[in-house]
Amino acid sequence: MQEILRDYLPSLLIGQYPNGPLGGLALTLILSVLGLGLAFPLSIALALCRLSPWAIVRWPSTVIVYVVRGIPLVMLVFWSYFLVPVLIGRPTSAFTTLVVTLVIYQAAYMSEIVRAGIEALPKGQTEASRSLGMTYGLAMRQVVLPQALYNMLPSLISQFVSTIKETSIGYVISVHELTYSANMVNSSLLTKPLQVFVTLSLIYFVVCFALTQSARAVERRVERRRARATPSAGVLNDSLLQSQ
């Protein structure tokens, strides 16, 4: 394993860059950031549609979320691989295909996180906003979503960890991410597949473990802030009762 790390670690981390295409762990992280970043606004839109009082937007968004969540990721990759070129009228790269797939897949899953975060807030937040004359959209943008998104930070980091692991599906369409790079190393050596894939697992573990610990640290911070906010809310309610 030491020989693999000494001779092939740069290939696993950055591919052939700067003498060739970027790949390995660097491309895995880029795919994860793009997939999650582009899916985030779409997931908020889907969640708001799912919570909408109007059935004309609630039902189609519900069907989209259920269909995407009910299909294996590898099938979505194949759909994007063959469908996207037909829709835009020109061939697309494997990288673009994987980004489109991750955006669709993550948007469906994150929309449920966003929806749960909004529903976890007290209904009084929305009712108080509406009583002040805010429209439904304004109340969501300025009152509900900022609180809900802050509470969702640990879940969003955990979703980023899942996205890192899901990029390995790019191997089936030859995207030069980390798993594909490890397979190229294995094809060069031929005699040490166990050592190569143990090394691959260790790289995934180190990255995902570090991010998981970050998510726990953020979660503890959110809980401490909630704990400080709760007595303040109680004091405020007592003051209001006394003033009455």
Side-chain angles (χ1 to χ4, degrees):
M1 188 178 296
Q2 290 180 349
E3 179 187 350
I4 294 172
L5 289 174
R6 184 185 67 241
D7 296 337
Y8 295 99
L9 185 60
S11 176
L12 292 173
L13 295 181
I14 59 173
Q16 299 174 0
Y17 186 82
N19 300 315
L22 184 67
L25 178 62
L27 191 62
T28 290
L29 294 176
I30 291 173
L31 284 166
S32 303
V33 170
L34 284 176
L36 208 63
L38 296 175
F40 186 61
L42 188 57
S43 69
I44 292 176
L46 280 173
L48 293 178
C49 289
R50 291 258 286 146
L51 293 170
S52 171
W54 301 292
I56 194 170
V57 294
R58 189 174 63 250
W59 282 108
S61 59
T62 302
V63 170
I64 290 172
V65 171
Y66 273 63
V67 168
V68 173
R69 285 167 59 92
I71 296 175
L73 180 57
V74 67
M75 293 305 299
L76 281 178
V77 170
F78 288 135
W79 277 15
S80 301
Y81 191 75
F82 294 110
L83 186 61
V84 173
V86 173
L87 292 177
I88 65 176
R90 61 185 178 84
T92 57
S93 66
F95 177 84
T96 304
T97 299
L98 186 56
V99 169
V100 170
T101 304
L102 289 173
V103 169
I104 296 171
Y105 191 75
Q106 294 302 330
Y109 275 85
M110 281 201 301
S111 68
E112 291 299 275
I113 296 175
V114 175
R115 186 174 67 88
I118 293 174
E119 289 184 332
L121 289 175
K123 293 188 180 300
Q125 298 281 336
T126 306
E127 294 170 356
S129 306
R130 298 301 299 272
S131 67
L132 293 174
M134 291 184 176
T135 61
Y136 176 78
L138 190 61
M140 282 290 170
R141 285 199 308 273
Q142 295 195 356
V143 178
V144 176
L145 274 179
Q147 299 179 74
L149 292 177
Y150 180 78
N151 292 337
M152 285 182 285
L153 279 176
S155 299
L156 293 176
I157 296 175
S158 297
Q159 194 63 29
F160 184 66
V161 175
S162 298
T163 308
I164 288 175
K165 291 181 283 188
E166 285 156 1
T167 56
S168 62
I169 202 71
Y171 168 77
V172 301
I173 54 174
S174 301
V175 178
H176 291 212
E177 42 72 50
L178 181 55
T179 302
Y180 185 89
S181 298
N183 192 58
M184 294 297 290
V185 171
N186 182 51
S187 299
S188 300
L189 294 174
L190 292 178
T191 56
K192 299 180 179 178
L194 178 62
Q195 291 89 333
V196 170
F197 288 107
V198 167
T199 303
L200 173 65
S201 301
L202 285 175
I203 294 175
Y204 273 119
F205 173 77
V206 168
V207 174
C208 294
F209 180 77
L211 287 169
T212 302
Q213 293 304 307
S214 302
R216 289 181 178 173
V218 172
E219 188 174 8
R220 286 194 292 270
R221 182 175 178 178
V222 171
E223 288 175 352
R224 284 198 298 270
R225 184 164 178 171
R226 283 177 183 163
R228 287 197 299 268
T230 302
S232 302
V235 170
L236 179 60
N237 291 334
D238 292 342
S239 301
L240 289 173
L241 289 172
Q242 289 173 5
S243 65
Q244 293 173 353

